[in-house]
Amino acid sequence: MKSFETAYNELEYLFIHKVPEYIEKINKEYNDGIILKEFSNKKLHEECLKRPGFKFLIENAEYDEKDRIIENTIFDVSFEIKLTPDTEKKINIFWRYIEAIRRMIDETESEWLYQITEIKENTLFIRVKDYKITNCDILTLKEL
């Protein structure tokens, strides 16, 4: 079982260094006058007062029966995306940030599996799971 520290370090790298690349891609792709700015955060776990920014929280670290048997580590985390209150087209901007994060997650090769589990109000919930191929997974792959 891995500690959360390795997942935390990777999340910090992804959200501080990789998300800006995807924000840039989104801006070029849409080219409709809505320009996303990079998040102001310089660390994952900081209370960033500048906007746009995010607030990171560890929500949960429980294991269900199946995951204890195959020794998977699971953490639920959240990112509350904070935009300036007077932002025009706030909903469009929020969903473009979500799109940038979703693309980054989909295109990241990692020893962790990242899954967006919920988007509620201005918060994105992500499940972080130790990515292991087990005998059960191999059987499933062979059946395909």
Side-chain angles (χ1 to χ4, degrees):
M1 240 181 352
K2 297 177 188 171
S3 73
F4 182 68
E5 185 177 358
T6 56
Y8 177 89
N9 291 336
E10 185 169 277
L11 280 168
E12 183 168 66
Y13 172 76
L14 292 173
F15 274 80
I16 302 301
H17 300 288
K18 295 298 282 183
V19 167
E21 294 174 21
Y22 287 88
I23 288 172
E24 189 176 323
K25 288 179 186 179
I26 295 287
N27 284 337
K28 286 180 182 175
E29 215 173 273
Y30 284 99
N31 193 23
D32 62 358
I34 297 175
I35 306 295
L36 298 182
K37 296 179 182 175
E38 291 183 16
F39 291 123
S40 299
N41 301 65
K42 302 298 179 210
K43 296 271 184 204
L44 190 59
H45 205 84
E46 74 173 326
E47 188 63 38
C48 188
L49 299 177
K50 292 183 179 180
R51 302 292 188 258
F54 60 80
K55 181 178 179 183
F56 169 79
L57 289 173
I58 302 168
E59 298 287 338
N60 198 2
E62 291 183 19
Y63 307 99
D64 63 23
E65 190 64 31
K66 173 187 167 236
D67 294 314
R68 276 198 300 253
I69 293 168
I70 60 174
E71 297 181 356
N72 276 349
T73 306
I74 300 173
F75 302 99
D76 292 317
V77 299
S78 67
F79 290 88
E80 180 183 351
I81 297 174
K82 297 182 175 194
L83 303 174
T84 54
D86 59 342
T87 304
E88 285 187 45
K89 300 185 180 183
K90 198 172 191 172
I91 292 172
N92 296 34
I93 291 170
F94 172 78
W95 283 105
R96 288 194 187 171
Y97 280 117
I98 297 299
E99 183 177 352
I101 293 167
R102 179 174 285 140
R103 284 187 191 182
M104 185 250 334
I105 287 172
D106 289 346
E107 295 176 13
T108 295
E109 292 184 23
S110 174
E111 59 190 66
W112 295 93
L113 178 64
Y114 300 102
Q115 178 184 15
I116 296 174
T117 56
E118 185 178 4
I119 299 168
K120 186 177 180 180
E121 294 177 15
N122 61 338
T123 304
L124 172 69
F125 294 88
I126 299 175
R127 174 158 286 171
V128 182
K129 188 172 182 179
D130 185 2
Y131 187 71
K132 294 181 183 178
I133 295 183
T134 64
N135 289 338
C136 296
D137 294 330
I138 292 170
L139 289 174
T140 306
L141 290 172
K142 285 181 181 177
E143 292 169 0
L144 295 174

